[in-house]
Amino acid sequence: QVQPVESGGGVVQAGGSLRLSCAASGRTFSMTNMGWFRQAPGKEREFVASIRWSGWTTDYADSVKGRFTISRDNAKNTVYLQMNSLTPEDTAVYYCNTVDFATRTPLRGYWGQGTQVTVSS
């Protein structure tokens, strides 16, 4: 079973960039579709991006398309989220999880600690 641990968050000014990492344990990582989700204060958790196990296909929420890039390194059991042109609306706790690629929904019923991203204006 894939157990992810997120890192790389921080405080950045609007227009800046951050790169998040999700290190996952588990022998099945290289065969697992992975996704990033985020939850802003007072809002529900939402889908951000996903990547198929092969790395060949990705999917993005409209709000981040063209600014964020998801990638993975199966040799390192790690998924990345490169975030550029950040805005205060991107402020949230970011989580990674296994994902149903078609429905953009998480497959695991529980979440890790996430990593906080704060974008100042």
Side-chain angles (χ1 to χ4, degrees):
Q1 189 174 5
V2 174
Q3 302 281 350
V5 177
E6 305 90 348
S7 63
V11 180
V12 63
Q13 288 190 332
S17 299
L18 281 174
R19 189 195 196 200
L20 307 183
S21 297
C22 171
S25 61
R27 293 181 297 172
T28 60
F29 174 83
S30 64
M31 298 299 293
T32 303
N33 298 332
M34 296 295 295
W36 284 96
F37 299 81
R38 67 186 181 185
Q39 187 167 21
K43 296 186 177 181
E44 293 188 353
R45 195 168 353 232
E46 65 176 358
F47 168 81
V48 175
S50 61
I51 186 167
R52 285 199 183 273
W53 63 270
S54 64
W56 287 108
T57 307
T58 57
D59 183 30
Y60 297 92
D62 287 344
S63 59
V64 307
K65 197 172 294 183
R67 300 188 298 122
F68 290 11
T69 302
I70 188 171
S71 61
R72 67 189 296 160
D73 185 338
N74 285 343
K76 296 182 178 180
N77 274 23
T78 302
V79 178
Y80 304 98
L81 186 68
Q82 177 66 45
M83 306 186 297
N84 299 328
S85 302
L86 286 162
T87 73
E89 288 68 38
D90 295 316
T91 295
V93 179
Y94 284 71
Y95 304 86
C96 68
N97 206 333
T98 57
V99 67
D100 183 315
F101 197 84
T103 63
R104 297 178 165 182
T105 54
L107 292 177
R108 286 191 325 154
Y110 56 94
W111 299 87
Q113 83 287 353
T115 186
Q116 175 71 49
V117 172
T118 303
V119 185
S120 60
S121 58

